[in-house]
Structure formats: C-alpha cells, structure tokens
Amino acid sequence: MLTYRILGPIEIQAAGEPVEINGTFQRTLLAALLVNHDRLVLTESLIGELWEHNPPRNAENALQAHISRLRRRLRSVDPEQRGGRFLSMPSGYRLCLGTDDFDADIFTHALLEVRANQSHTPLEMIDKLRDALTLWRGPTFGGNLGGFICQAAAVRYKEYRAAALERLFEAELVIGRHNEIVAELSELVESESLNERLCQQLMVALYRCGRQRDALAVYQRMRARLMDELGVEPSPVLQKCQMAILAHDPVLQPRPVPAHL
C-alpha cells in the first residue's frame, strides 16, 4: 500500500517506509499526476511541465521513458497496485488513487467538511482543523517544483491552508482562547504573505490579553508591509478593527460560551 504526500517535500511511503524517487523529472512528473489524480493529464501538458518552453526534439519519447521508469519504481514497491494504478491513455496518462492515499485530499476533504457542516461546535471544528493541519510539513512540494501544473496546485493548496487557519483561529477566539493562540498567530502573521484576516485575529487576541499597544503595533507593521509591497492601505475591515481597539469597543470582547462547550 502506497501513500503519497505533497504538503511538504514530495514523498511516497510503502508500509510506513519512505520510497526514493530519483531525479527532478521523476518527482515533477509524479507531482503533476498526483494533483490531477483520477483525471487524464494530456501528453502535451506533461511535456510542458517537464521542459516548459524548451522541450527536447523527441519530447514524447523522452516523456514515455520517464513514465516507464516511474511506473517500474512504483510497481517495485507495490506489485499489486493497491496504492494506485498508473494508466496510459491514447492522449495522456492517469494516476488512479484509492481513498486516503493522498495527504492533500485528506486535508481538503477535512476543510470542506468543516465548511459544509454547520452543526459542528467550535471545539469540534478546532479538533478537525488541527488534525488536518498536522499534515503540513512545509511548503507544497517542498518549494519550487515543476511548471504551471505544480505551481498552480501549490497556490491552490496554500489558499486552502490559509482558509483552514482562519477558521481555526476564529473558533479559538469564539471560545475565549486568546491567550493560547497569541504566539502561534504572531509567527503566522510574520511568515504568511500579507494575510489580513490572521492579522485581525492577532490584534483581537492581543487586545483581549490587555495588550492594546502590541495590537496596534501589529496593525502598523502590516500597514507598512502592504504599502511597501503592494502600495495599498489595509482593508476597511482591518482599519475598522484598529479603530475598535482605539475606542475599546465592547464588540471585541468574547461572547459568553455555552456551558456544553
């Protein structure tokens, strides 16, 4: 049984042991098929993914050679193909995966389930989202890998992760855990790319901890970054949060939590 992981360095495991995939072309090919698993990936798309605008003269033959090497490697550690079937089609290739074989699927399914299920309590949401977020071991594919297919997938999964983090900390704030999340949020706001929602949540958490000055300093740092990198002011939502902190608006305080939570 094979499991595939891309939420961090690309990795395959067989019975819990890592499977080595040699070469950038092999890893890029695997990544492109994984993020499109159970769907046909056209030969021309894979050629573009591997060689971008400078394919070799015999690009289709070169691609077939890489496909054959990858298929042999997967079959050597999974002869019965219980961890996915590698299919050759007239116009491309398809990697068919089973349930729970792919960390990105497990993560996105958990996020979509939290979004769809309105009956979850904040604690249930927190547990599900924290479990899902443990799947992340670093940037998708471990950083730069491949062409448009991999890069587009990396952006998509990064947005999913941001959405999960925003929902997680919103639930944490709802149940009054502002003290517990300040350190975690502070690190994220410094490292994430200009996420104003996480910045707002950090400002609220700091304010609730009696750290009004620190909350306003967070706003000023975000404003400086936005002006420096994008040439724009903070969003109206973030500006409104700053004004609420300055005015000691009661809306910033946590609401009473029901006893069953």
Side-chain angles (χ1 to χ4, degrees):
M1 181 68 176
L2 299 183
T3 56
Y4 301 87
R5 306 205 294 174
I6 66 166
L7 303 181
I10 187 166
E11 184 179 276
I12 303 175
Q13 289 192 340
E17 295 297 323
V19 175
E20 186 70 25
I21 301 295
N22 295 317
T24 300
F25 282 165
Q26 296 286 296
R27 291 193 295 273
T28 300
L29 179 58
L30 176 61
L33 291 166
L34 281 171
V35 298
N36 290 285
H37 70 83
D38 299 317
R39 298 190 297 271
L40 174 68
V41 186
L42 296 176
T43 296
E44 60 189 41
S45 297
L46 290 173
I47 290 173
E49 191 72 5
L50 294 183
W51 293 286
E52 297 187 355
H53 304 298
N54 189 33
R57 187 173 301 173
N58 57 343
E60 287 197 22
N61 290 338
L63 174 63
Q64 288 173 4
H66 285 300
I67 290 284
S68 295
R69 293 189 194 105
L70 181 59
R71 180 184 279 118
R72 285 197 302 269
R73 182 64 180 130
L74 296 180
R75 283 182 175 172
S76 72
V77 293
D78 185 32
E80 298 180 10
Q81 298 185 38
R82 292 178 298 171
R85 292 181 298 122
F86 204 149
L87 305 180
S88 297
M89 315 292 284
S91 56
Y93 302 89
R94 186 194 312 181
L95 180 62
C96 300
L97 300 183
T99 305
D100 297 333
D101 290 343
F102 186 31
D103 64 349
D105 275 2
I106 298 170
F107 175 77
T108 52
H109 290 165
L111 174 60
L112 294 174
E113 196 273 335
V114 166
R115 283 176 169 173
N117 194 333
Q118 301 299 315
S119 66
H120 283 323
T121 67
L123 279 175
E124 289 171 336
M125 289 178 59
I126 290 166
D127 288 343
K128 288 179 180 294
L129 291 170
R130 285 204 177 275
D131 282 347
L133 286 161
T134 62
L135 295 169
W136 285 82
R137 299 166 290 116
T140 310
F141 309 123
N144 294 328
L145 180 69
F148 176 78
I149 294 174
C150 290
Q151 291 165 13
V155 171
R156 181 169 70 252
Y157 290 123
K158 184 177 181 180
E159 290 175 351
Y160 286 155
R161 179 174 178 267
L165 287 168
E166 291 166 12
R167 283 182 174 264
L168 167 65
F169 292 116
E170 186 61 34
E172 298 275 20
L173 287 171
V174 164
I175 62 173
R177 287 184 177 172
H178 38 272
N179 280 291
E180 291 89 335
I181 62 175
V182 163
E184 197 174 358
L185 268 173
S186 297
E187 182 177 352
L188 286 167
V189 168
E190 290 301 317
S191 62
E192 296 294 312
S193 55
L194 303 177
N195 187 311
E196 292 187 72
R197 180 63 179 139
L198 293 179
C199 179
Q200 178 193 6
Q201 291 168 334
L202 175 57
M203 290 166 63
V204 172
L206 286 167
Y207 178 79
R208 290 182 181 179
C209 293
R211 298 169 59 182
Q212 180 188 27
R213 182 176 296 179
D214 290 338
L216 295 173
V218 166
Y219 174 84
Q220 292 300 333
R221 286 196 297 273
M222 178 59 73
R223 180 179 183 274
R225 289 175 62 190
L226 288 166
M227 292 296 295
D228 182 55
E229 297 183 33
L230 302 178
V232 299
E233 291 283 350
S235 66
V237 171
L238 200 59
Q239 293 183 42
K240 185 177 179 180
C241 183
Q242 181 212 27
M243 297 304 297
I245 290 171
L246 288 168
H248 297 279
D249 193 324
V251 75
L252 296 172
Q253 295 301 332
R255 298 173 183 177
V257 181
H260 70 279
L261 298 183

